[in-house]
């Protein structure tokens, strides 16, 4: 069942939260050894929390009543260790819950475990010294990053919904790799409250799910905005202007033909649904420095936060040591400039206005996911090259703070991993994007979990 159906069943008394939780834990026990999606499984605690939930006086009113949920291993859960994918972090249990965790639990969700991330959530592949996390569609490929464990957990049907966060595409990249719907809200919609400075406001918490309705429900709880849940169930956004940007964001490189074809097929579908679908090159920044400087200096601030929390930065992976060292240089010379972002945003807004568009469409990725291997043992340059070339489309909208989403759209004939398309909208367009995604889902449904799961 979907999370929406599970919650409805628990509220109506047709489903027992304890049985629902035990079933999820059984799936994790059976399926996760092959995938490495989870860092920790809260088996006994999750069952105990489900037992308490059965006596909740307002059980019939809880939007996520009894729904098992996974939390990314970079926000605190009281009593649990938060590793952020690193040997450098303190192993002291967290003293309190992140606001997102509090809201999910207050809505009736049961936290069954924490999901794997690359070190400090810096990379678009997920592995650490102990485990290489694998894509359920093709275990020779990565599920992406940094919410790679979340993507693998949902795509394998271990849980229906999972928390992720997104600083340069870290929800949308795993969603695209794993055939899921992934949504990054705009700035300030969901409390961020991550370590360091949240990559200068680029990082946002959001959902990964197998359906738009499930993601919208989870997002509505995280945002404390109930109307968003209904937006994901509506399939009529009205006629929209959706400008199609086919150009590549970087000076070198190109989009794989099958990913480009997914975008072309989606634009045809949108036109058939009655939307105005012009095609025009998006004015990506010619200078990558504003984005790169935030990534580097934000990582350095995260590392400083790890040290202040009792961690040992000497245990960082070599790729992360280089990245954070460069970030400290950026900070020392004060190279992060908000004026640059304002200029870029004005250009993108003018682009939408010229094309009479509410929303823009790009490919989700340039290529299918890289191999699942020990990227953490490789150097900084190799990781940068792999990340930038396969996932160049998402980061602009983190820098702008706009909402954006990845929508499944087919399967790659060579890698047998999913294809996807990527939408972004103006600030405040979360409900509009969710309804558009629901319309696409109704017109062209996707396979909810990977074959064999």
């Amino acid at each position: 069942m979907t999370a929406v159906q599970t919650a409805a069943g628990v509220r109506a008394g047709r489903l027992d939260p304890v049985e629902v939780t035990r079933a999820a834990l059984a799936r994790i026990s059976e399926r996760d050894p092959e995938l490495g999606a989870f860092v920790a499984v809260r088996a006994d605690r999750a069952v105990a929390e489900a037992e308490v939930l059965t006596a909740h006086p307002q059980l019939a009113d809880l939007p996520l009543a009894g729904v098992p949920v996974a939390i990314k291993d970079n926000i605190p859960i009281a009593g649990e260790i938060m590793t952020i994918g690193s040997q450098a972090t303190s192993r002291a249990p967290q003293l309190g819950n992140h606001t997102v965790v509090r809201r999910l639990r207050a809505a009736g969700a049961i936290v069954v475990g924490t999901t794997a991330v690359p070190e400090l959530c810096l990379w678009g592949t997920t592995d650490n010294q102990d485990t290489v996390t694998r894509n359920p569609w093709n275990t020779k490929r990565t599920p992406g990053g940094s919410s790679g464990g979340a993507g693998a957990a949902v795509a394998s049907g271990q849980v229906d919904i999972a928390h992720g966060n997104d600083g340069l595409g870290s929800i949308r990249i795993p969603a695209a790799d794993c055939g899921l719907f992934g949504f990054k809200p705009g700035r300030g919609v969901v409390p961020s409250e991550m370590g360091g400075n949240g990559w200068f406001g680029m990082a946002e918490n959001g959902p990964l799910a197998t359906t738009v309705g499930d993601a919208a429900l989870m997002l509505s709880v995280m945002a404390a905005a109930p109307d968003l849940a209904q937006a994901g169930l509506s399939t009529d956004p009205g006629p929209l202007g959706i400008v199609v940007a086919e150009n590549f964001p970087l000076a070198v490189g190109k989009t794989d033909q099958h990913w480009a074809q997914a975008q072309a097929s989606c634009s045809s579908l949108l036109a058939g649904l009655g939307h105005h679908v012009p095609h025009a090159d998006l004015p990506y920044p010619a200078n990558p420095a504003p984005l790169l400087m935030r990534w580097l200096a934000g990582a350095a601030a995260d590392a400083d936060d790890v040290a202040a929390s009792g961690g040992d930065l000497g245990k960082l992976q070599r790729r992360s040591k280089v990245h954070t060292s460069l970030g400290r240089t950026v900070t020392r010379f004060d190279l992060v400039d908000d004026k640059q972002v304002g200029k870029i945003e004005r250009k993108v807004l003018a682009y939408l206005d010229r094309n009479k568009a509410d929303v823009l469409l790009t490919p989700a990725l340039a290529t299918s996911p890289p191999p699942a291997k020990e990227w953490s043992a490789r150097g900084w340059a190799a990781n940068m090259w792999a990340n930038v070339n396969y996932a160049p489309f998402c980061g602009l909208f983190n820098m702008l703070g706009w909402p954006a989403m990845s929508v499944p759209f087919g399967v790659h004939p060579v890698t047998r991993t999913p294809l996807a398309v990527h939408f972004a909208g103006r600030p405040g367009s979360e409900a509009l994007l969710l309804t558009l995604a629901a319309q696409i889902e109704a017109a062209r449904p996707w396979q909810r979990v990977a074959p064999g799961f």
Side-chain angles (χ1 to χ4, degrees):
M1 292 190 294
T2 66
V4 169
Q5 292 168 335
T6 296
V10 170
R11 287 195 299 268
R14 296 190 304 270
L15 294 175
D16 178 0
V18 176
E19 292 181 2
V20 171
T21 301
R22 290 190 188 279
L25 293 169
R27 293 193 298 271
I28 294 168
S29 178
E30 175 190 358
R31 302 175 190 183
D32 203 51
E34 180 184 8
L35 301 173
F38 282 87
V39 175
V41 179
R42 306 178 68 253
D44 293 341
R45 294 186 184 188
V47 170
E49 291 169 11
E51 289 172 344
V52 171
L53 184 68
T54 60
H56 195 292
Q58 281 85 44
L59 181 62
D61 299 321
L62 300 180
L64 284 172
V67 175
V69 62
I71 301 296
K72 185 175 176 179
D73 184 30
N74 74 327
I75 66 169
I77 304 170
E80 305 295 335
I81 296 169
M82 184 177 73
T83 76
I84 323 178
S86 178
Q87 296 294 317
T89 49
S90 167
R91 287 332 193 232
Q94 296 295 304
L95 298 178
N97 290 309
H98 190 283
T99 300
V100 161
V101 175
R102 290 200 305 272
R103 288 180 176 179
L104 290 170
R105 282 178 159 163
I110 304 297
V111 177
V112 294
T114 55
T115 55
V117 301
E119 186 165 62
L120 303 187
C121 299
L122 291 175
W123 314 104
T125 56
T126 299
D127 70 280
N128 57 45
Q129 289 91 332
D130 301 319
T131 305
V132 175
T133 304
R134 299 181 181 277
N135 192 318
W137 286 78
N138 179 348
T139 55
K140 294 180 180 179
R141 299 277 176 160
T142 182
S146 63
S147 306
V154 177
S156 57
Q158 298 180 61
V159 290
D160 289 323
I161 55 174
H163 157 264
N165 36 50
D166 189 317
L168 281 174
S170 288
I171 288 172
R172 291 161 290 160
I173 294 168
D177 284 341
C178 296
L180 304 173
F181 178 67
F183 196 92
K184 180 196 82 71
R187 188 170 294 137
V189 173
V190 175
S192 177
E193 300 172 6
M194 283 172 259
N197 53 33
W199 292 11
F200 296 90
M202 294 201 301
E204 304 293 343
N205 292 297
L208 295 96
T210 65
T211 70
V212 177
D214 280 2
L217 175 60
M218 187 177 187
L219 179 64
S220 73
V221 170
M222 291 194 288
D227 289 351
L228 290 175
Q230 189 57 43
L233 298 177
S234 171
T235 58
D236 183 16
L240 302 176
I242 304 172
V243 59
V244 180
E246 297 162 337
N247 56 313
F248 199 72
L250 308 176
V252 294
K254 65 178 183 178
T255 304
D256 171 274
Q257 62 174 327
H258 300 293
W259 286 87
Q261 183 56 50
Q263 181 194 24
S265 297
C266 184
S267 67
S268 296
L269 173 68
L270 294 167
L273 291 170
H275 301 296
H276 171 58
V277 188
H279 292 239
D281 285 356
L282 176 62
Y284 290 105
N287 178 8
L291 186 60
L292 180 61
M293 296 302 136
R294 282 165 171 75
W295 185 15
L296 293 168
D302 286 348
D304 291 343
D305 190 64
V306 167
S309 301
D312 179 0
L313 298 187
K315 295 180 179 179
L316 286 176
Q317 299 159 6
R318 60 191 178 111
R319 60 178 180 171
S320 303
K321 287 180 178 177
V322 173
H323 203 84
T324 55
S325 176
L326 290 169
R328 290 191 180 90
T329 300
V330 170
T331 302
R332 187 178 312 121
F333 288 97
D334 196 23
L335 298 179
V336 174
D337 183 358
D338 288 339
K339 292 180 182 177
Q340 295 170 316
V341 176
K343 185 181 298 185
I344 294 166
E345 183 169 39
R346 287 191 292 275
K347 288 183 178 180
V348 178
L349 286 169
Y351 164 80
L352 291 176
D353 291 341
R354 280 195 308 276
N355 289 284
K356 298 180 173 59
D358 310 283
V359 176
L360 61 89
L361 167 66
T362 76
L365 298 173
T367 67
S368 292
K373 61 182 182 181
E374 292 182 346
W375 288 96
S376 57
R378 303 195 67 186
W380 179 80
N383 277 273
M384 288 291 289
W385 179 258
N387 279 249
V388 169
N389 279 279
Y390 112 89
F393 294 102
C394 294
L396 171 63
F397 304 100
N398 295 90
M399 187 167 60
L400 297 180
W402 290 14
M405 62 186 184
S406 177
V407 181
F409 213 88
V411 177
H412 196 286
V414 178
T415 63
R416 304 310 302 171
T417 50
L419 296 166
V421 290
H422 176 244
F423 293 88
R426 301 170 191 257
S429 63
E430 283 81 6
L432 178 68
L433 289 173
L434 288 167
T435 302
L436 173 62
Q439 184 185 46
I440 295 169
E441 181 182 28
R444 198 178 187 280
W446 51 79
Q447 183 168 328
R448 289 185 54 218
V449 297
F453 291 94

